[in-house]
Amino acid sequence: MKREFELIIFDLDGTLYPANPEMDRLYPEAAVRLLIQKTGGDPEKVKQEFLAKKAELKQLLNGPPTSTLTLFYYYNIGFEEYENTLDTMIAVENFITPDPKSRAVIQKIDRHYPIYLYTTNNEKVGMKILQRLGLADFFPPQRRFTLTDAGRLLVPRREKLNYIKPGEKGFKRILEMHNVPAEQALMVGDSEVSDIQPAQQLGLPTYHVTSREDFYRLPEWLGI
Ligand SMILES: [Mg+2]
């Protein structure tokens, strides 16, 4: 039997495609590079400080935060400058292989449910990843909320952080935009801390992707 949902929200990295450790290393690298440029500090010292902050935030969240959240949480760095730094550092085609099977999964789900993308990645890099995966048409601008969108909100900087996962406001905003109650929206993601826990706290059912096989099984789980 088909499971009824009014909306299915997908995470991007590690969910729509497998996490790539080499690519993932570039996010903290970009953050540290930007901090060195900004502060003129000793590179090794800046790096150690950043890693210490990330560990501190890990304690606060009871699980590992993204480098992106760490950067914005502790440092006064602009959303756009981080996006542009990452964009110049990440050649998506070197790290991501298009996967027809994953694309077929999204194509099938898209025929049965409204779908949406909620990512801590930014618009430029996120778009390149979606294009590489052949998924850009499924997640046009009105169907996604990225780090860049959080940065554009007309709220104080500190408040913007609540729109970056695992902050709850981003989830709430997506539900409000679609006028969907939490229990009618499914969150699909790979991160316990960023996707699963905050969604569950708000009352969303969740589907935890821990492997590609998990992702491939999603249509079957949905009963479509
Ligand atoms: Mg993820």
Side-chain angles (χ1 to χ4, degrees):
M1 212 172 76
K2 182 183 168 186
R3 290 180 200 249
E4 295 299 335
F5 292 110
E6 290 177 36
L7 183 69
I8 299 185
I9 305 166
F10 289 93
D11 166 55
L12 174 62
D13 306 300
T15 299
L16 297 185
Y17 71 98
N20 179 312
E22 280 171 52
M23 185 166 125
D24 286 349
R25 261 201 298 277
L26 296 174
Y27 291 86
E29 254 183 62
V32 169
R33 187 184 286 193
L34 204 51
L35 291 172
I36 293 166
Q37 272 173 20
K38 283 274 202 189
T39 61
D42 171 60
E44 197 47 39
K45 224 174 133 189
V46 170
K47 189 178 170 185
Q48 290 313 320
E49 194 198 72
F50 181 77
L51 293 175
K53 294 289 185 201
K54 201 171 174 181
E56 192 180 315
L57 192 53
K58 184 177 174 178
Q59 292 290 321
L60 276 172
L61 297 175
N62 288 318
T66 58
S67 296
T68 302
L69 182 64
T70 309
L71 183 68
F72 292 122
Y73 201 90
Y74 292 104
Y75 303 90
N76 191 21
I77 293 289
F79 282 68
E80 256 182 63
E81 47 186 342
Y82 183 52
E83 176 167 6
N84 290 331
T85 303
L86 272 173
D87 188 43
T88 58
M89 286 175 71
I90 298 183
V92 164
E93 63 279 9
N94 293 344
F95 303 107
I96 297 175
T97 315
D99 173 21
K101 224 170 150 180
S102 293
R103 191 182 184 279
V105 166
I106 291 298
Q107 193 171 29
K108 187 162 192 187
I109 294 172
D110 179 61
R111 283 203 292 265
H112 292 269
Y113 304 91
I115 60 173
Y116 197 86
L117 186 78
Y118 182 23
T119 176
T120 308
N121 215 322
N122 63 65
E123 192 170 271
K124 281 182 182 165
V125 177
M127 262 319 287
K128 283 182 183 167
I129 293 172
L130 287 174
Q131 275 162 1
R132 178 73 174 160
L133 296 170
L135 294 175
D137 289 346
F138 295 104
F139 299 106
Q142 69 273 20
R143 282 211 215 167
R144 57 182 194 240
F145 189 77
T146 67
L147 179 77
T148 310
D149 295 306
R152 284 182 189 138
L153 293 171
L154 298 172
V155 296
R157 183 191 161 83
R158 194 78 207 169
E159 176 71 354
K160 289 177 184 177
L161 299 182
N162 296 326
Y163 289 84
I164 302 173
K165 288 189 275 185
E168 289 187 349
K169 293 229 168 139
F171 290 94
K172 285 185 176 161
R173 183 183 167 89
I174 293 166
L175 295 175
E176 277 163 20
M177 276 165 51
H178 293 85
N179 197 19
V180 168
E183 62 275 13
Q184 284 300 316
L186 176 70
M187 179 67 206
V188 180
D190 68 307
S191 167
E192 186 67 33
V193 171
S194 296
D195 304 312
I196 303 302
Q197 283 173 9
Q200 284 182 351
Q201 263 163 28
L202 289 168
L204 283 84
T206 54
Y207 185 91
H208 196 182
V209 175
T210 57
S211 67
R212 285 336 285 157
E213 290 310 314
D214 277 347
F215 187 73
Y216 298 152
R217 274 194 293 266
L218 181 53
E220 193 191 321
W221 183 86
L222 288 165
I224 57 170

